[in-house]
Amino acid sequence: MEIVDYFPKDGLYLGYINSIEGKRIVLINEEGDFISNKILEGDGPNKSSAPFNAMSFAEDGTIYLQSFSFIYRYDQNLNLLDKFSYPSSTSIRIFGRMEFFSYFKLPGSNSNISFITNPSDTNSFRPGNDSETELIEVFQKGTEESFKLAPVTDRIMYSRFDKSLLADLFFIIYKLDPKSRKLYLTTKTDSEILVYDLINKSLDSRIEINHGEFPILQKSKISRNDFKTNGRIALGAKNHKLFSLGGEKIVLDYIQEIPYGIYEQKIAEDPTYHHFQDPNYHRLIIFEGTTQVSGDIKLPVNGKLMTALPENRLLFQLIDPTIEEDFIRFGVYELIKSGN
């Protein structure tokens, strides 16, 4: 089960479960009870014929679900309230997982939303004039217009990548702050987070990332040979997720590189092993404003980061691979300054 969002007013978590029947959307209360759960992909008036890419709570506690061409809004019983179509130059379809649906409202707009059409943790690369390609597309409901921002050439990594690797530079990781209407954007192989003002549609600031261990970023020129692999399996480091806390705090979840010998040992013990799913290789870095305020922070033992919660807290799923349990454990951890 994956938890994607939390609605504090009602104490509800929004997530999904991948099952044989399909992707099941779930609402769970703070006691761990299922409030609603339905499969909403498929045929029928209440469903989407295309896979959902992203999900989140709306401000009133209803639920947004995004496919590559429609936005659906459901009540907390997962009954369809309304939907509308939107154009997208990327038309990305995600199978087997869902991302957070990022939206904001323009000043003076109480009903219409603006949202990012290409989900976080996807590759927005399209063949063409890459030097002019922008990474983010925003659709504005009401005006029915779209705009793009974040040119790939804004990134300092652009000049260091071999041109055959540009698709890697287009693999976006982002988090939107709907109150400040700022977008925090990085890519999977990147040494900085760029902050964009979504109202002025301009670059606001840059945040340097000081990873504890990300060897490829130390190179002045990066070629295909610099990416560590075992066949088609990536062994190298990558930026994974961004999470937003209060007070302009941002958390980066990144994954360290796994040595080839250790990977060989791991798959000999478990052929399904991948270090991207191993909490031991995940590290968190905290930023406040434009400053990095922590080094690498290890995850809780057997912890997988799910979502951010109010009051500088993070929700982790806790799975001990040595114990077979008939329930799913979660833990809430608060980020505090050392010495306080």
Side-chain angles (χ1 to χ4, degrees), residues 177-333:
D177 183 341
K179 292 183 179 179
S180 66
R181 302 177 182 93
K182 289 184 178 180
L183 176 69
Y184 296 82
L185 173 70
T186 189
T187 58
K188 72 173 184 177
T189 309
D190 218 322
S191 60
E192 62 178 349
I193 299 169
L194 267 57
V195 185
Y196 288 91
D197 184 320
L198 291 168
I199 301 302
N200 296 325
K201 305 174 187 176
S202 61
L203 178 61
D204 183 84
S205 55
R206 295 176 181 267
I207 306 173
E208 182 182 354
I209 307 172
N210 182 19
H211 299 87
E213 184 182 326
F214 208 134
I216 196 172
L217 296 181
Q218 306 307 313
K219 297 180 176 292
S220 58
K221 294 293 182 182
I222 299 173
S223 68
R224 180 64 62 191
N225 293 335
D226 293 315
F227 286 84
K228 307 298 184 184
T229 62
N230 180 22
R232 298 180 62 184
I233 303 298
L235 304 181
K238 74 165 186 172
N239 295 320
H240 181 54
K241 297 281 186 182
L242 285 171
F243 298 88
S244 178
L245 300 175
E248 291 193 327
K249 292 187 181 71
I250 293 291
V251 177
L252 170 67
D253 176 3
Y254 88 95
I255 304 171
Q256 295 182 327
E257 183 176 301
I258 184 171
Y260 179 79
I262 294 179
Y263 174 73
E264 287 287 286
Q265 179 182 347
K266 292 285 189 181
I267 60 171
E269 299 169 355
D270 177 8
T272 66
Y273 177 85
H274 199 302
H275 80 296
F276 289 174
Q277 306 298 326
D278 187 342
N280 292 318
Y281 286 90
H282 283 249
R283 295 293 185 271
L284 304 181
I285 301 176
I286 305 170
F287 305 86
E288 188 166 2
T290 58
T291 304
Q292 181 170 328
V293 295
S294 82
D296 282 11
I297 300 173
K298 292 184 178 180
L299 271 62
V301 176
N302 301 318
K304 179 181 179 181
L305 181 52
M306 295 276 104
T307 190
L309 302 175
E311 300 175 354
N312 294 331
R313 297 176 301 154
L314 297 170
L315 177 72
F316 289 85
Q317 185 179 116
L318 304 172
I319 301 178
D320 188 342
T322 64
I323 301 176
E324 189 171 332
E325 298 177 321
D326 56 2
F327 57 90
I328 300 174
R329 293 186 298 133
F330 291 89
V332 177
Y333 292 76

Side-chain angles (χ1 to χ4, degrees), residues 11-204:
L12 292 178
Y13 297 93
L14 174 65
Y16 65 94
I17 300 171
N18 285 319
S19 65
I20 297 175
E21 296 82 11
K23 196 182 299 174
R24 186 172 294 276
I25 309 301
V26 298
L27 269 79
I28 304 167
N29 65 19
E30 293 179 328
E31 286 71 47
D33 300 318
F34 284 86
I35 302 302
S36 303
N37 72 94
K38 289 182 181 179
I39 295 175
L40 298 176
E41 295 177 359
D43 297 326
N46 197 47
K47 298 183 176 183
S48 169
S49 59
F52 290 120
N53 289 338
M55 67 193 315
S56 72
F57 281 108
E59 292 176 310
D60 61 0
T62 57
I63 297 150
Y64 285 125
L65 291 172
Q66 178 190 28
S67 75
F68 74 95
S69 59
F70 278 90
I71 301 298
Y72 297 78
R73 191 169 65 92
Y74 291 85
D75 64 19
Q76 292 183 1
N77 293 315
L78 299 179
N79 296 313
L80 182 64
L81 297 174
D82 49 62
K83 70 175 183 178
F84 63 87
S85 63
Y86 68 93
S88 173
S89 63
T90 52
S91 296
I92 293 172
R93 295 169 174 83
I94 298 179
F95 297 93
R97 64 178 175 85
M98 294 178 67
E99 297 299 321
F100 183 88
F101 175 61
S102 295
Y103 73 93
F104 64 102
K105 292 184 177 180
L106 295 171
S109 175
N110 295 320
S111 56
N112 291 320
I113 62 172
S114 299
F115 58 91
I116 301 175
T117 66
N118 44 334
S120 183
D121 202 16
T122 62
N123 188 333
S124 60
F125 178 74
R126 290 295 179 271
N129 189 348
D130 17 88
S131 65
E132 296 180 1
T133 302
E134 293 161 308
L135 298 176
I136 293 294
E137 180 181 51
V138 177
F139 178 78
Q140 299 174 306
K141 181 62 176 169
T143 65
E144 308 300 309
E145 296 176 344
S146 297
F147 68 86
K148 294 184 178 182
L149 76 165
V152 67
T153 50
D154 276 356
R155 318 208 64 77
I156 61 172
M157 298 301 296
Y158 179 76
S159 61
R160 295 162 63 182
F161 268 67
D162 182 276
K163 297 304 179 185
S164 66
L165 296 172
L166 282 181
D168 293 276
L169 201 61
F170 283 73
F171 205 106
I172 53 176
I173 310 294
Y174 64 76
K175 186 64 181 178
L176 188 157
D177 183 341
K179 292 183 179 179
S180 66
R181 302 177 182 93
K182 289 184 178 180
L183 176 69
Y184 296 82
L185 173 70
T186 189
T187 58
K188 72 173 184 177
T189 309
D190 218 322
S191 60
E192 62 178 349
I193 299 169
L194 267 57
V195 185
Y196 288 91
D197 184 320
L198 291 168
I199 301 302
N200 296 325
K201 305 174 187 176
S202 61
L203 178 61
D204 183 84

